[in-house]
Amino acid sequence: MTLLSRLTLAAGLLLIAGSAFAASDTPVGTWKTIDDETHMAKSIVEITDHNGELQARIVKLLNRSPEDIARDGAEPICKKCDGERHNQPIEGMNIMWGVSKDDDVWDGGKILDPKTGKVYKVRLKMLDGGQKLDVHGYIGFALIGRSQVWERQN
């Protein structure tokens, strides 16, 4: 192999590695939500970037018990939500909006808990080299609130 071929190959590998790193330093992607109380997977959420503003929607609900299905139906709706989300299907619902990058965190937006219908301020922070996402919902000050750690899905 010639020197030029080796340099080209090395440059290509660095470019691929750089792209992989760039993809994991942003919340954009698909995540498995983990309930902070039960520690069970609750849903698959897709976070997308719309001109620098992150949004998230529920793709699929997971681990629904027979009691959950009996209470909420096979396709649950957001009974406790206000406004346009009231009585709308939870799967497919936009649950996060208005989030933008601020140094090493993403904040400034809101997140909806479809179980309670409550809307909270939200802060996102990448963990474990981009493989986990700390999702912190709060009212008032960020010091008080609840966090969930979501796991990146490939």
Side-chain angles (χ1 to χ4, degrees):
M1 190 180 268
T2 67
L3 178 61
L4 181 58
S5 297
R6 288 181 186 169
L7 289 174
T8 303
L9 179 62
L13 290 173
L14 286 173
L15 183 62
I16 290 169
S19 297
F21 177 74
S24 67
D25 71 346
T26 174
V28 172
T30 306
W31 299 89
K32 179 173 24 174
T33 69
I34 308 296
D35 187 276
D36 57 313
E37 294 172 350
T38 66
H39 306 291
M40 293 194 54
K42 297 303 282 181
S43 64
I44 300 295
V45 171
E46 179 183 34
I47 298 178
T48 55
D49 186 326
H50 298 271
N51 298 318
E53 178 184 303
L54 299 184
Q55 298 178 7
R57 70 179 183 88
I58 296 177
V59 175
K60 182 173 177 64
L61 296 173
L62 305 172
N63 295 320
R64 298 187 64 228
S65 70
E67 293 82 16
D68 293 338
I69 295 169
R71 181 187 61 238
D72 302 327
E75 297 179 18
I77 59 173
C78 195
K79 296 174 186 172
K80 296 182 179 181
C81 289
D82 291 329
E84 65 187 27
R85 290 182 181 85
H86 182 69
N87 285 335
Q88 294 301 307
I90 292 174
E91 284 188 355
M93 183 176 285
N94 184 12
I95 61 161
M96 187 178 72
W97 59 92
V99 178
S100 58
K101 187 168 173 109
D102 183 14
D103 292 324
D104 65 340
V105 299
W106 286 260
D107 62 10
K110 306 281 186 183
I111 192 165
L112 166 73
D113 179 352
K115 186 176 181 180
T116 65
K118 293 183 180 180
V119 176
Y120 301 94
K121 294 178 183 178
V122 67
R123 184 188 72 214
L124 310 174
K125 186 171 184 175
M126 304 300 298
L127 304 172
D128 291 345
Q131 295 307 301
K132 293 187 178 181
L133 181 65
D134 178 72
V135 180
H136 184 71
Y138 61 97
I139 296 174
F141 299 102
L143 295 174
I144 302 171
R146 281 177 51 185
S147 287
Q148 289 185 346
V149 177
W150 295 1
E151 299 172 353
R152 187 179 294 276
Q153 301 297 288
N154 295 325

